[in-house]
């Protein structure tokens, strides 16, 4: 078991070019993911309808239906995270437009290892979203946070916080599991698209800024606990 995320997750790889497909499937399987593949859009849709996937890697240039239309179809019945494989800058523009509800994209040529890391990060993030919504609902009576993942909004004592994207993800992760201590590396992995170990101190900077924002609402409370030499957690008892 190389990766706790990978060991429970099934990924569908949709790519018609056998050499690319094989290297992606191999990289994901070595990370512990269960992998299915499809070489055409209609096969991908069939598979996605008949079994549950935690993530779909979707090539844009497929022989039958293009990846954008496959994604559009998928979105009618599923919120599964999608990472697009794109070959051209013009495709990137459309993916980034997010009209399609893509979660991430990778441009060709890419390293299969980099793609695996993105797959893992996206699955973790989507699991975190589900967990934090549940946690927020469960503790609504006692803890002062309300997380709205869809609107990227966190309220604290019913005041909406003005958070950057990274601050939002950091705070949402801490809120989702009160008392759980996260290392800087784990927080980096959760909140950043391209985690970089040499940047772990930026986690500190962002936590500092989140704390300052929380203080503007309640100067007498310190919800985020520092664990020296390890990282941070959200306080459990209010
Ligand atoms: Ca292709």
């Amino acid at each position: 078991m190389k990766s706790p995320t990978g060991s429970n997750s099934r990924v569908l790889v949709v790519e018609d070019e056998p050499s690319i497909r094989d290297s992606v499937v191999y990289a994901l399987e070595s990370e512990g993911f269960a992998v299915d593949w499809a070489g055409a859009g209609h096969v991908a849709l069939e598979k996605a309808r008949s079994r549950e996937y935690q993530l779909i890697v979707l090539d844009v240039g497929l022989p039958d239906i293009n990846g954008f239309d496959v994604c559009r179809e998928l979105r009618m019945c599923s919120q599964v995270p999608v990472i697009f494989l794109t070959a051209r800058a013009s495709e990137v523009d459309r993916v980034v437009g997010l009209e399609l509800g893509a979660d991430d994209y990778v441009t060709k040529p890419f390293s299969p290892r980099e793609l695996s890391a993105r797959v893992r990060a996206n699955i973790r993030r989507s699991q975190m979203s589900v967990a934090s919504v549940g946690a927020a609902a469960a503790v609504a009576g006692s803890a002062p946070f309300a997380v709205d993942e869809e609107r990227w909004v966190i309220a604290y004592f019913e005041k909406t916080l003005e958070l950057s994207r990274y601050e939002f993800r950091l705070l949402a992760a801490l809120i989702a599991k009160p008392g759980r201590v996260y290392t800087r590396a784990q927080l980096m992995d959760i909140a950043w698209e391209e985690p970089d170990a040499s940047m772990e101190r930026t986690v500190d900077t962002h936590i500092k800024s989140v704390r300052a924002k929380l203080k503007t609402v309640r100067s007498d409370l310190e919800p985020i606990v520092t664990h020296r030499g390890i990282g941070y957690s959200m306080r459990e008892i209010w």
Side-chain angles (χ1 to χ4, degrees):
M1 274 221 310
K2 263 181 141 183
S3 132
T5 307
S7 59
N8 294 321
S9 301
R10 182 169 287 275
V11 176
L12 177 61
V13 174
V14 189
E15 166 65 73
D16 57 311
E17 177 62 52
S19 60
I20 298 176
R21 186 174 69 217
D22 291 351
S23 64
V24 169
V25 169
Y26 178 78
L28 291 172
E29 282 178 343
S30 3
E31 293 277 333
F33 294 101
V35 185
D36 291 345
W37 63 265
H42 72 273
V43 182
L45 285 169
E46 235 165 70
K47 286 186 186 266
R49 283 181 191 124
S50 62
R51 122 170 269 174
E52 197 186 329
Y53 292 98
Q54 275 67 54
L55 186 137
I56 297 180
V57 175
L58 183 54
D59 182 34
V60 172
L62 294 168
D64 54 346
I65 324 168
N66 75 47
F68 297 127
D69 291 333
V70 172
C71 186
R72 204 169 280 130
E73 275 294 299
L74 270 174
R75 283 287 172 259
M76 290 181 188
C77 59
S78 163
Q79 288 306 310
V80 60
V82 171
I83 299 180
F84 274 114
L85 300 180
T86 68
R88 290 189 297 274
S90 58
E91 292 175 348
V92 173
D93 289 345
R94 289 189 64 190
V95 175
V96 172
L98 286 182
E99 150 220 358
L100 295 154
D103 296 272
D104 206 350
Y105 68 91
V106 171
T107 45
K108 295 176 182 177
F110 57 88
S111 90
R113 273 194 63 192
E114 185 209 333
L115 177 64
S116 294
R118 297 278 194 97
V119 167
R120 208 180 318 120
N122 274 277
I123 290 178
R124 201 171 292 166
R125 204 173 300 147
S126 76
Q127 286 169 347
M128 189 192 93
S129 309
V130 172
S132 64
V133 168
V139 297
S142 57
F145 291 102
V147 180
D148 186 334
E149 292 275 344
E150 288 186 4
R151 293 182 179 77
W152 288 74
V153 167
I154 297 177
Y156 179 53
F157 288 102
E158 291 170 8
K159 295 231 160 49
T160 298
L161 301 165
E162 297 283 333
L163 300 171
S164 73
R165 189 161 52 130
Y166 297 130
E167 291 168 356
F168 174 89
R169 287 181 181 156
L170 285 174
L171 185 56
L174 293 172
I175 292 169
K177 297 228 165 116
R180 155 148 191 197
V181 180
Y182 287 92
T183 65
R184 292 182 178 81
Q186 287 168 332
L187 289 171
M188 185 115 232
D189 220 26
I190 289 169
W192 272 259
E193 283 90 356
E194 287 164 5
D196 177 348
S198 67
M199 303 269 288
E200 281 179 21
R201 291 292 151 189
T202 42
V203 171
D204 295 343
T205 312
H206 286 268
I207 291 281
K208 197 172 164 195
S209 148
V210 171
R211 278 179 163 151
K213 290 173 182 181
L214 295 170
K215 280 263 189 284
T216 64
V217 178
R218 281 289 295 267
S219 59
D220 57 327
L221 292 175
E222 181 50 86
I224 299 174
V225 183
T226 302
H227 300 264
R228 268 183 194 287
I230 309 172
Y232 301 96
S233 69
M234 175 59 62
R235 66 188 282 174
E236 268 180 293
I237 297 156
W238 291 85

PDB file of all heavy atoms in Angstrom, residues 41-62:
ATOM      1  N   GLY A  41     -14.794   7.929 -26.604  1.00  0.00           N
ATOM      2  CA  GLY A  41     -15.721   8.647 -25.748  1.00  0.00           C
ATOM      3  C   GLY A  41     -16.961   7.853 -25.363  1.00  0.00           C
ATOM      4  O   GLY A  41     -17.369   7.860 -24.201  1.00  0.00           O
ATOM      5  N   HIS A  42     -17.554   7.148 -26.337  1.00  0.00           N
ATOM      6  CA  HIS A  42     -18.802   6.457 -26.008  1.00  0.00           C
ATOM      7  C   HIS A  42     -18.545   5.293 -25.044  1.00  0.00           C
ATOM      8  O   HIS A  42     -19.385   4.988 -24.202  1.00  0.00           O
ATOM      9  CB  HIS A  42     -19.541   6.002 -27.270  1.00  0.00           C
ATOM     10  CG  HIS A  42     -18.904   4.852 -27.993  1.00  0.00           C
ATOM     11  ND1 HIS A  42     -17.929   5.024 -28.940  1.00  0.00           N
ATOM     12  CD2 HIS A  42     -19.082   3.523 -27.864  1.00  0.00           C
ATOM     13  CE1 HIS A  42     -17.536   3.843 -29.397  1.00  0.00           C
ATOM     14  NE2 HIS A  42     -18.215   2.909 -28.752  1.00  0.00           N
ATOM     15  N   VAL A  43     -17.346   4.663 -25.161  1.00  0.00           N
ATOM     16  CA  VAL A  43     -16.994   3.588 -24.233  1.00  0.00           C
ATOM     17  C   VAL A  43     -16.806   4.173 -22.819  1.00  0.00           C
ATOM     18  O   VAL A  43     -17.245   3.603 -21.818  1.00  0.00           O
ATOM     19  CB  VAL A  43     -15.687   2.879 -24.667  1.00  0.00           C
ATOM     20  CG1 VAL A  43     -15.362   1.731 -23.738  1.00  0.00           C
ATOM     21  CG2 VAL A  43     -15.796   2.395 -26.102  1.00  0.00           C
ATOM     22  N   ALA A  44     -16.174   5.339 -22.768  1.00  0.00           N
ATOM     23  CA  ALA A  44     -15.950   6.000 -21.486  1.00  0.00           C
ATOM     24  C   ALA A  44     -17.278   6.286 -20.783  1.00  0.00           C
ATOM     25  O   ALA A  44     -17.445   6.028 -19.586  1.00  0.00           O
ATOM     26  CB  ALA A  44     -15.170   7.298 -21.691  1.00  0.00           C
ATOM     27  N   LEU A  45     -18.243   6.808 -21.549  1.00  0.00           N
ATOM     28  CA  LEU A  45     -19.541   7.140 -20.965  1.00  0.00           C
ATOM     29  C   LEU A  45     -20.253   5.889 -20.452  1.00  0.00           C
ATOM     30  O   LEU A  45     -20.850   5.906 -19.367  1.00  0.00           O
ATOM     31  CB  LEU A  45     -20.415   7.869 -21.984  1.00  0.00           C
ATOM     32  CG  LEU A  45     -20.021   9.331 -22.228  1.00  0.00           C
ATOM     33  CD1 LEU A  45     -20.747   9.896 -23.432  1.00  0.00           C
ATOM     34  CD2 LEU A  45     -20.298  10.173 -20.977  1.00  0.00           C
ATOM     35  N   GLU A  46     -20.145   4.822 -21.235  1.00  0.00           N
ATOM     36  CA  GLU A  46     -20.747   3.553 -20.816  1.00  0.00           C
ATOM     37  C   GLU A  46     -20.155   3.093 -19.482  1.00  0.00           C
ATOM     38  O   GLU A  46     -20.872   2.719 -18.565  1.00  0.00           O
ATOM     39  CB  GLU A  46     -20.436   2.488 -21.867  1.00  0.00           C
ATOM     40  CG  GLU A  46     -21.628   1.771 -22.435  1.00  0.00           C
ATOM     41  CD  GLU A  46     -21.205   1.039 -23.700  1.00  0.00           C
ATOM     42  OE1 GLU A  46     -20.464   0.044 -23.576  1.00  0.00           O
ATOM     43  OE2 GLU A  46     -21.598   1.495 -24.795  1.00  0.00           O
ATOM     44  N   LYS A  47     -18.830   3.144 -19.400  1.00  0.00           N
ATOM     45  CA  LYS A  47     -18.159   2.693 -18.175  1.00  0.00           C
ATOM     46  C   LYS A  47     -18.525   3.586 -16.992  1.00  0.00           C
ATOM     47  O   LYS A  47     -18.780   3.121 -15.892  1.00  0.00           O
ATOM     48  CB  LYS A  47     -16.641   2.682 -18.359  1.00  0.00           C
ATOM     49  CG  LYS A  47     -16.164   1.536 -19.224  1.00  0.00           C
ATOM     50  CD  LYS A  47     -14.632   1.476 -19.256  1.00  0.00           C
ATOM     51  CE  LYS A  47     -14.148   0.429 -20.239  1.00  0.00           C
ATOM     52  NZ  LYS A  47     -13.897  -0.874 -19.638  1.00  0.00           N
ATOM     53  N   ALA A  48     -18.544   4.897 -17.245  1.00  0.00           N
ATOM     54  CA  ALA A  48     -18.814   5.831 -16.152  1.00  0.00           C
ATOM     55  C   ALA A  48     -20.244   5.668 -15.629  1.00  0.00           C
ATOM     56  O   ALA A  48     -20.530   5.954 -14.471  1.00  0.00           O
ATOM     57  CB  ALA A  48     -18.587   7.264 -16.617  1.00  0.00           C
ATOM     58  N   ARG A  49     -21.137   5.195 -16.494  1.00  0.00           N
ATOM     59  CA  ARG A  49     -22.523   4.995 -16.055  1.00  0.00           C
ATOM     60  C   ARG A  49     -22.695   3.696 -15.292  1.00  0.00           C
ATOM     61  O   ARG A  49     -23.597   3.556 -14.481  1.00  0.00           O
ATOM     62  CB  ARG A  49     -23.464   4.994 -17.264  1.00  0.00           C
ATOM     63  CG  ARG A  49     -23.724   6.398 -17.787  1.00  0.00           C
ATOM     64  CD  ARG A  49     -24.689   6.378 -18.965  1.00  0.00           C
ATOM     65  NE  ARG A  49     -24.716   7.687 -19.600  1.00  0.00           N
ATOM     66  CZ  ARG A  49     -24.467   7.900 -20.885  1.00  0.00           C
ATOM     67  NH1 ARG A  49     -24.182   6.891 -21.679  1.00  0.00           N
ATOM     68  NH2 ARG A  49     -24.509   9.115 -21.375  1.00  0.00           N
ATOM     69  N   SER A  50     -21.817   2.731 -15.579  1.00  0.00           N
ATOM     70  CA  SER A  50     -22.040   1.414 -14.985  1.00  0.00           C
ATOM     71  C   SER A  50     -21.233   1.185 -13.717  1.00  0.00           C
ATOM     72  O   SER A  50     -21.439   0.204 -13.016  1.00  0.00           O
ATOM     73  CB  SER A  50     -21.752   0.317 -16.010  1.00  0.00           C
ATOM     74  OG  SER A  50     -20.407   0.375 -16.392  1.00  0.00           O
ATOM     75  N   ARG A  51     -20.303   2.094 -13.392  1.00  0.00           N
ATOM     76  CA  ARG A  51     -19.526   1.850 -12.178  1.00  0.00           C
ATOM     77  C   ARG A  51     -19.044   3.175 -11.605  1.00  0.00           C
ATOM     78  O   ARG A  51     -18.938   4.153 -12.317  1.00  0.00           O
ATOM     79  CB  ARG A  51     -18.420   0.856 -12.512  1.00  0.00           C
ATOM     80  CG  ARG A  51     -17.016   1.227 -12.295  1.00  0.00           C
ATOM     81  CD  ARG A  51     -16.137   0.003 -12.475  1.00  0.00           C
ATOM     82  NE  ARG A  51     -15.941  -0.694 -11.208  1.00  0.00           N
ATOM     83  CZ  ARG A  51     -15.312  -1.858 -11.091  1.00  0.00           C
ATOM     84  NH1 ARG A  51     -14.856  -2.480 -12.147  1.00  0.00           N
ATOM     85  NH2 ARG A  51     -15.148  -2.420  -9.908  1.00  0.00           N
ATOM     86  N   GLU A  52     -18.763   3.174 -10.309  1.00  0.00           N
ATOM     87  CA  GLU A  52     -18.392   4.438  -9.685  1.00  0.00           C
ATOM     88  C   GLU A  52     -16.882   4.665  -9.737  1.00  0.00           C
ATOM     89  O   GLU A  52     -16.105   3.789  -9.377  1.00  0.00           O
ATOM     90  CB  GLU A  52     -18.858   4.450  -8.228  1.00  0.00           C
ATOM     91  CG  GLU A  52     -18.876   5.843  -7.650  1.00  0.00           C
ATOM     92  CD  GLU A  52     -19.198   5.842  -6.163  1.00  0.00           C
ATOM     93  OE1 GLU A  52     -19.941   4.941  -5.735  1.00  0.00           O
ATOM     94  OE2 GLU A  52     -18.699   6.730  -5.452  1.00  0.00           O
ATOM     95  N   TYR A  53     -16.487   5.838 -10.221  1.00  0.00           N
ATOM     96  CA  TYR A  53     -15.071   6.202 -10.235  1.00  0.00           C
ATOM     97  C   TYR A  53     -14.833   7.390  -9.309  1.00  0.00           C
ATOM     98  O   TYR A  53     -15.706   8.234  -9.158  1.00  0.00           O
ATOM     99  CB  TYR A  53     -14.628   6.563 -11.661  1.00  0.00           C
ATOM    100  CG  TYR A  53     -14.640   5.375 -12.585  1.00  0.00           C
ATOM    101  CD1 TYR A  53     -15.723   5.152 -13.430  1.00  0.00           C
ATOM    102  CD2 TYR A  53     -13.590   4.466 -12.581  1.00  0.00           C
ATOM    103  CE1 TYR A  53     -15.756   4.040 -14.264  1.00  0.00           C
ATOM    104  CE2 TYR A  53     -13.617   3.350 -13.409  1.00  0.00           C
ATOM    105  CZ  TYR A  53     -14.700   3.142 -14.244  1.00  0.00           C
ATOM    106  OH  TYR A  53     -14.730   2.042 -15.052  1.00  0.00           O
ATOM    107  N   GLN A  54     -13.632   7.439  -8.720  1.00  0.00           N
ATOM    108  CA  GLN A  54     -13.303   8.577  -7.871  1.00  0.00           C
ATOM    109  C   GLN A  54     -12.720   9.719  -8.701  1.00  0.00           C
ATOM    110  O   GLN A  54     -12.671  10.861  -8.255  1.00  0.00           O
ATOM    111  CB  GLN A  54     -12.312   8.163  -6.769  1.00  0.00           C
ATOM    112  CG  GLN A  54     -12.994   7.566  -5.539  1.00  0.00           C
ATOM    113  CD  GLN A  54     -13.659   6.236  -5.841  1.00  0.00           C
ATOM    114  OE1 GLN A  54     -13.043   5.311  -6.353  1.00  0.00           O
ATOM    115  NE2 GLN A  54     -14.947   6.133  -5.556  1.00  0.00           N
ATOM    116  N   LEU A  55     -12.269   9.372  -9.925  1.00  0.00           N
ATOM    117  CA  LEU A  55     -11.735  10.412 -10.803  1.00  0.00           C
ATOM    118  C   LEU A  55     -11.658   9.886 -12.236  1.00  0.00           C
ATOM    119  O   LEU A  55     -11.496   8.689 -12.443  1.00  0.00           O
ATOM    120  CB  LEU A  55     -10.342  10.835 -10.336  1.00  0.00           C
ATOM    121  CG  LEU A  55      -9.718  12.027 -11.077  1.00  0.00           C
ATOM    122  CD1 LEU A  55      -9.053  12.981 -10.085  1.00  0.00           C
ATOM    123  CD2 LEU A  55      -8.715  11.617 -12.138  1.00  0.00           C
ATOM    124  N   ILE A  56     -11.786  10.810 -13.202  1.00  0.00           N
ATOM    125  CA  ILE A  56     -11.643  10.428 -14.615  1.00  0.00           C
ATOM    126  C   ILE A  56     -10.575  11.308 -15.268  1.00  0.00           C
ATOM    127  O   ILE A  56     -10.605  12.535 -15.147  1.00  0.00           O
ATOM    128  CB  ILE A  56     -12.988  10.560 -15.361  1.00  0.00           C
ATOM    129  CG1 ILE A  56     -14.006   9.573 -14.756  1.00  0.00           C
ATOM    130  CG2 ILE A  56     -12.806  10.299 -16.853  1.00  0.00           C
ATOM    131  CD1 ILE A  56     -15.377   9.578 -15.389  1.00  0.00           C
ATOM    132  N   VAL A  57      -9.601  10.647 -15.898  1.00  0.00           N
ATOM    133  CA  VAL A  57      -8.597  11.352 -16.698  1.00  0.00           C
ATOM    134  C   VAL A  57      -9.104  11.307 -18.130  1.00  0.00           C
ATOM    135  O   VAL A  57      -9.321  10.226 -18.679  1.00  0.00           O
ATOM    136  CB  VAL A  57      -7.220  10.654 -16.600  1.00  0.00           C
ATOM    137  CG1 VAL A  57      -6.221  11.324 -17.537  1.00  0.00           C
ATOM    138  CG2 VAL A  57      -6.711  10.668 -15.153  1.00  0.00           C
ATOM    139  N   LEU A  58      -9.314  12.477 -18.739  1.00  0.00           N
ATOM    140  CA  LEU A  58     -10.054  12.538 -19.993  1.00  0.00           C
ATOM    141  C   LEU A  58      -9.292  13.299 -21.074  1.00  0.00           C
ATOM    142  O   LEU A  58      -9.080  14.506 -20.961  1.00  0.00           O
ATOM    143  CB  LEU A  58     -11.412  13.216 -19.702  1.00  0.00           C
ATOM    144  CG  LEU A  58     -12.432  13.358 -20.809  1.00  0.00           C
ATOM    145  CD1 LEU A  58     -12.745  12.033 -21.476  1.00  0.00           C
ATOM    146  CD2 LEU A  58     -13.708  13.984 -20.254  1.00  0.00           C
ATOM    147  N   ASP A  59      -8.876  12.570 -22.105  1.00  0.00           N
ATOM    148  CA  ASP A  59      -8.214  13.201 -23.250  1.00  0.00           C
ATOM    149  C   ASP A  59      -9.231  14.045 -24.021  1.00  0.00           C
ATOM    150  O   ASP A  59     -10.392  13.651 -24.155  1.00  0.00           O
ATOM    151  CB  ASP A  59      -7.630  12.099 -24.141  1.00  0.00           C
ATOM    152  CG  ASP A  59      -6.878  12.664 -25.327  1.00  0.00           C
ATOM    153  OD1 ASP A  59      -6.265  13.738 -25.180  1.00  0.00           O
ATOM    154  OD2 ASP A  59      -6.913  12.027 -26.400  1.00  0.00           O
ATOM    155  N   VAL A  60      -8.803  15.197 -24.510  1.00  0.00           N
ATOM    156  CA  VAL A  60      -9.726  16.032 -25.287  1.00  0.00           C
ATOM    157  C   VAL A  60      -9.915  15.479 -26.700  1.00  0.00           C
ATOM    158  O   VAL A  60     -11.030  15.393 -27.206  1.00  0.00           O
ATOM    159  CB  VAL A  60      -9.225  17.496 -25.356  1.00  0.00           C
ATOM    160  CG1 VAL A  60     -10.087  18.305 -26.318  1.00  0.00           C
ATOM    161  CG2 VAL A  60      -9.255  18.133 -23.966  1.00  0.00           C
ATOM    162  N   GLY A  61      -8.805  15.066 -27.335  1.00  0.00           N
ATOM    163  CA  GLY A  61      -8.881  14.607 -28.727  1.00  0.00           C
ATOM    164  C   GLY A  61      -9.151  13.117 -28.844  1.00  0.00           C
ATOM    165  O   GLY A  61      -8.239  12.312 -28.939  1.00  0.00           O
ATOM    166  N   LEU A  62     -10.416  12.743 -28.821  1.00  0.00           N
ATOM    167  CA  LEU A  62     -10.798  11.330 -28.943  1.00  0.00           C
ATOM    168  C   LEU A  62     -11.362  11.081 -30.338  1.00  0.00           C
ATOM    169  O   LEU A  62     -11.833  12.015 -30.994  1.00  0.00           O
ATOM    170  CB  LEU A  62     -11.850  10.988 -27.872  1.00  0.00           C
ATOM    171  CG  LEU A  62     -11.356  11.046 -26.425  1.00  0.00           C
ATOM    172  CD1 LEU A  62     -12.519  10.996 -25.447  1.00  0.00           C
ATOM    173  CD2 LEU A  62     -10.372   9.916 -26.143  1.00  0.00           C
TER     174      LEU A  62
END
